[in-house]
Amino acid sequence: MEPVARSTLTETPDVSGAYPRLGQAQIELLGRAGTRRATPAGEILIHEGNLDTDFFVILQGTVLVVEGLHAAGGRQPAEPAPGTRILEVHGPGRFLGELGLVEGQPAFVSTVTAEAGEVLQISGDDLRRVVLADAAVGETILRAYLQRRIQLISAGAGIRIVGSRFSRDTLRLLEFAAANRLPHRLVDLEDDEQTQAILNRAGILAGDLPAVALNASQVLRNPSNTDLALAMGLRVVKEHSASYDLMVIGAGPAGLAAAVYAASDGLSVVLKEALAIGGQAATSPRIENFLGFPAGISGGELTERAIIQARKFRVQINVACRANTVALRDGEFRAEFNESGPAVSRAALLATGVRYRRLPVPGLDEFEGTSVFYAATVHEARLCGSQPVAVVGGGNSAAQAALFLAGTGAPVRLVVRGEDLRADMSGYLAERIEEHAGIEVLLGANIVGVAGSDALERIVVELGATSEHRTFDSRYLFIFIGAKPHTEWLQGTLSLDDHGFVLTGADLEELPSEFSHLGRSRLPLETSVPGMFAAGDVRHGSVKRVTAAAGEGSTAVAMIHEHLRLLRHGPASARQGEGQ
């Protein structure tokens, strides 16, 4: 890439702590783990799509964060590709990279020097050790990286998903990327002028679509979710060669908490997730009742911090692994997964959560993924812009979504079946809804029809008091009307209640006689199969709150320890421990 005149560049302002300038003491601390070196103009420091990139602090000169570069050999100047754009400009004292660097993901953008200068270079492994070991510097870097991820997503930077917005596979890839908070954008065959250039450059044929362009030269042709997960660093391994102490199935707050606590205690842990780490909690724009965060915290940030903790304690994280079966055989649990080899463990925890219910409205499924959503994240807000949207539901999730979308400038209509906004909604949320000028509330109302050509255009609402049908413009529809558990695959394996939730502890009889060698009663979070536990929303009688799910996950670990100890040493070890 040709050097850019310094006089034409303006440094990107520090927005929300995304681009802090390090002090001399912080640079000296980082310098103990790195090397100072000179950089020529036009050198690529980080290339989009590459794994295991290094961390850089700018000591002299100016560095650009760009999207769309062809790779160059060694430290040769970069070659701009069609559509190259400058996203950020940084000067001395700032550091480069974003969240993927500490989570083991590929770089989503490139960084290139605009002029000759000097940098401090630290390997990714050494950076991760610094972030986890030094609280002050680590928190500065981590907070900036979390903000940068949000900004990349909002800017539509990152991987390009090339395909038609009407293709089911395109929608599948968009959902997967959004759910896993991967910076991405759709290059739409229907109307994006960059499409043909990307297709020609990568040699992509019509039969290869949809495709995912990781950078200017790396392309995945119609990848499965598993293929994309492997490319994005969301899968540690495809096949498991050894048995684990604990297998956690489901990576929402309960599963993440269990994995972190168990691994920090020294257990070997594998965490398997069907779609996205964080579950439904990760889609919440702001969680305001989580202990220790008085100003609230987004579900995405809470999840990313938990992922970093899990990796710190060497949890084996595997995304895009949907469980098919799990069974106790010869004293170990063996689970089979789609597009992944089986995993074996001595104890198991089910934390598969719930999925949102769908409205029984004719024709609604035609708009799912393009105009109808079950989560309101930055990705969906970017699609909505200032167009009218409707949110259905009377609980906290619906309230949070309505407030978030209205806060981004979209006019929101909240459709609530009940007559009292506070019946199922926290009082502080109901008060904010009522005070917000951008939210119209329809009580005692139900959506009974939808209409549109290629996308949703109108909704038909029945008002309960008069049975009147009214039609409203609505370009997008968000549905939060309750949920049902992910337990269809457990039918015949575990005891479930009439609604499919997993029965545990006191809701079950005592352990069968064939497990008398354990010398204990059934533990409170233990399922009908000894050694298999359940936590979070999937469990019968659970409190449907993020804090409660995380608490159950951590509590389950104490019970898992007891179970494993009795498996190793028998009841005598427990009696001996009590006498000490």
Side-chain angles (χ1 to χ4, degrees):
M1 185 171 181
E2 294 298 323
V4 180
R6 180 70 178 85
S7 59
T8 66
L9 298 173
T10 301
E11 190 173 45
T12 303
D14 182 14
V15 180
S16 304
Y19 312 116
R21 206 177 303 280
L22 297 177
Q24 189 58 39
Q26 292 174 308
I27 293 175
E28 289 176 0
L29 174 65
L30 290 168
R32 299 171 192 167
T35 304
R36 299 170 71 113
R37 69 171 179 85
T39 53
E43 179 188 341
I44 301 179
L45 301 175
I46 300 172
H47 192 275
E48 59 194 73
N50 285 1
L51 282 164
D52 301 323
T53 57
D54 288 343
F55 174 81
F56 296 89
V57 179
I58 305 168
L59 301 177
Q60 294 180 32
T62 304
V63 177
L64 310 178
V65 176
V66 302
E67 184 181 44
L69 287 181
H70 285 307
R75 295 178 181 171
Q76 298 302 311
E79 176 189 349
T84 298
R85 58 172 176 157
I86 297 175
L87 301 173
E88 302 160 16
V89 179
H90 300 297
R94 289 190 174 181
F95 54 88
L96 306 176
E98 65 94 48
L99 193 60
L101 184 56
V102 293
E103 289 193 0
Q105 296 174 355
F108 291 98
V109 290
S110 300
T111 58
V112 58
T113 57
E115 59 186 351
E118 184 183 15
V119 296
L120 171 64
Q121 183 170 355
I122 303 173
S123 74
D125 286 341
D126 286 337
L127 172 71
R128 285 184 278 274
R129 281 191 283 271
V130 170
V131 167
L132 296 172
D134 188 282
V137 174
E139 183 59 25
T140 297
I141 294 171
L142 181 56
R143 188 184 306 115
Y145 277 3
L146 288 163
Q147 289 299 318
R148 292 180 193 185
R149 174 59 60 91
I150 293 171
Q151 293 187 21
L152 282 180
I153 293 173
S154 299
I159 60 175
R160 274 77 75 200
I161 298 174
V162 186
S164 168
R165 64 180 179 273
F166 303 114
S167 160
R168 289 291 180 185
D169 277 328
T170 301
L171 297 178
R172 169 181 58 79
L173 292 170
L174 287 170
E175 178 191 18
F176 184 81
N180 284 285
R181 300 163 302 285
L182 299 175
H184 69 283
R185 74 169 181 269
L186 171 64
V187 181
D188 197 337
L189 288 176
E190 313 300 329
D191 55 18
D192 196 311
E193 60 186 21
Q194 293 185 38
T195 303
Q196 198 57 50
I198 291 177
L199 296 178
N200 293 341
R201 185 168 63 248
I204 302 173
L205 303 176
D208 297 329
L209 298 176
V212 178
L214 306 181
N215 56 28
S217 57
Q218 292 178 275
V219 176
L220 303 176
R221 290 165 169 79
N222 195 13
S224 65
N225 285 358
T226 297
D227 294 333
L228 187 54
L230 286 166
M232 292 292 101
L234 299 174
R235 292 279 296 271
V236 176
V237 294
K238 193 166 185 178
E239 302 291 337
H240 300 280
S241 58
S243 175
Y244 297 88
D245 292 321
L246 174 64
M247 171 168 37
V248 180
I249 302 177
L256 278 169
V260 168
Y261 280 102
S264 67
D265 286 345
L267 299 183
S268 60
V269 180
V270 60
L271 178 62
K272 310 284 278 191
E273 166 58 41
L275 179 63
I277 299 177
Q280 292 181 27
T283 68
S284 176
R286 185 145 299 271
I287 301 169
E288 299 193 58
N289 57 358
F290 201 95
L291 184 65
F293 295 93
I297 184 171
S298 73
E301 179 176 344
L302 188 66
T303 297
E304 301 295 359
R305 288 178 176 272
I307 292 171
I308 293 169
Q309 280 184 299
R311 291 188 182 278
K312 172 183 178 179
F313 295 116
R314 295 182 174 84
V315 174
Q316 297 288 300
I317 299 175
N318 287 268
V319 177
C321 303
R322 186 174 298 280
N324 292 327
T325 62
V326 59
L328 180 62
R329 299 175 186 169
D330 300 323
E332 290 189 315
F333 291 97
R334 180 183 176 91
E336 303 282 348
F337 300 86
N338 284 348
E339 298 193 68
S340 171
V344 178
S345 63
R346 296 162 58 224
L349 176 74
L350 300 173
T352 51
V354 296
R355 64 171 174 268
Y356 284 117
R357 297 184 185 276
R358 285 163 163 74
L359 280 174
V361 177
L364 189 70
D365 57 341
E366 297 178 15
F367 303 116
E368 289 189 336
T370 57
S371 301
V372 176
F373 303 104
Y374 297 86
T377 68
V378 172
H379 168 68
E380 288 82 19
R382 188 169 69 241
L383 289 175
C384 295
S386 59
Q387 300 177 88
V389 304
V391 177
V392 183
N396 287 353
S397 294
Q400 290 168 341
L403 288 165
F404 172 63
L405 294 167
T408 64
V412 176
R413 188 168 282 109
L414 180 61
V415 182
V416 182
R417 182 175 60 180
E419 299 288 349
D420 181 2
L421 194 60
R422 288 168 171 74
D424 298 303
M425 187 183 297
S426 295
Y428 74 95
L429 289 173
E431 184 175 341
R432 290 186 188 177
I433 292 286
E434 291 168 340
E435 293 176 348
H436 202 297
I439 301 176
E440 177 186 358
V441 180
L442 300 178
L443 295 175
N446 290 287
I447 293 181
V448 294
V450 292
S453 51
D454 293 335
L456 182 67
E457 297 171 7
R458 297 174 300 281
I459 59 172
V460 181
V461 178
E462 181 181 61
L463 302 177
T466 61
S467 296
E468 174 191 3
H469 284 203
R470 292 187 60 188
T471 300
F472 298 97
D473 290 337
S474 186
R475 180 61 183 81
Y476 295 95
L477 177 61
F478 294 83
I479 301 174
F480 303 90
I481 56 171
K484 61 180 180 179
H486 285 289
T487 55
E488 297 88 347
W489 64 286
L490 292 170
Q491 294 286 344
T493 300
L494 296 178
S495 295
L496 309 174
D497 70 10
D498 293 341
H499 300 286
F501 291 93
V502 178
L503 295 172
T504 56
D507 293 322
L508 297 165
E509 298 177 353
E510 280 299 328
L511 295 180
S513 58
E514 60 265 33
F515 293 96
S516 59
H517 63 282
L518 294 176
R520 63 168 175 81
S521 299
R522 194 182 302 278
L523 297 168
L525 295 179
E526 195 168 25
T527 71
S528 57
V529 177
M532 184 182 296
F533 299 81
D537 291 357
V538 75
R539 192 180 67 81
H540 170 81
S542 67
V543 178
K544 304 300 187 285
R545 290 288 187 272
V546 174
T547 49
E552 285 193 6
S554 57
T555 301
V557 173
M559 303 175 196
I560 289 165
H561 274 300
E562 181 175 353
H563 173 72
L564 293 177
R565 183 172 62 251
L566 292 174
L567 278 182
R568 283 194 298 266
H569 306 297
S573 66
R575 291 194 295 271
Q576 184 178 10
E578 290 171 1
Q580 292 177 350

